[in-house]
Amino acid sequence: TDSKKNIIYKIKINNKFQIIKKNIFFKFKKKEGAPDGMTTDIKNNLWVCHYHGARVSVYNLKGHKIHQIYLPAKNVTNCTFGGIANKELFISTAIKGMKTIDFKKYPLSGSLFKVKTNIKGKKNLTLRTSIIGHELNSSFGLLNWFLKQQKITRGFTKAIFSVYALF
């Protein structure tokens, strides 16, 4: 992803993790915000957060937008599947760079959202870190770790808001 250019690239890598092919997968319009964090589901659909765009969009393998989830938060930063049967999408948002008028339109900015979906997320790779000594999800590990800590979750964000996706 090149957030400054509003582009998501599709790349092919070799077994040494070197890029051997790079094509534009999707280019955001300025009014849609910039692509930020993302995850995939079991059908290889790409779930993309829109920083300054107040939503998560879902793209199929051909780059066609097949669904959107709008949120009352302007800066949508990252998402990962988890929860019951790995069918819940956890979405983080930020308040960085927002103006007072933005908070009136997007009152839940800076919050963490939980969206129930009817599709499973791909099982993410895990890694170990010596910093806190817990297994972390490679795409959004600290969030998953915090979610397991009920007392810490409340200090991590304003609240977790549940949203139902029709997708």
Side-chain angles (χ1 to χ4, degrees), residues 95-138:
I95 60 171
K96 184 179 178 180
M98 290 181 59
K99 298 176 182 167
T100 304
I101 195 164
D102 292 333
F103 286 103
K104 291 178 182 176
K105 187 173 180 180
Y106 304 104
L108 298 179
S109 292
S111 298
L112 175 66
F113 295 85
K114 177 176 72 172
V115 177
K116 292 183 181 182
T117 71
N118 63 3
I119 191 163
K120 286 185 177 188
K122 270 192 179 174
K123 184 170 175 144
N124 292 309
L125 300 174
T126 57
L127 55 94
R128 285 226 174 251
T129 178
S130 59
I131 298 171
I132 54 178
H134 292 277
E135 280 192 0
L136 297 178
N137 171 304
S138 62

Side-chain angles (χ1 to χ4, degrees), residues 23-69:
N23 297 318
I24 292 177
F25 178 71
F26 191 83
K27 184 167 173 62
F28 279 36
K29 296 174 185 162
K30 188 171 182 168
K31 67 180 181 178
E32 295 178 307
D36 205 359
M38 55 189 79
T39 193
T40 55
D41 62 34
I42 59 170
K43 291 185 177 179
N44 289 319
N45 295 315
L46 184 65
W47 298 63
V48 182
C49 297
H50 292 240
Y51 196 84
H52 294 301
R55 70 191 102 163
V56 174
S57 293
V58 184
Y59 299 90
N60 66 18
L61 286 172
K62 294 181 180 183
H64 297 117
K65 190 183 305 179
I66 58 174
H67 189 67
Q68 286 188 331
I69 302 166

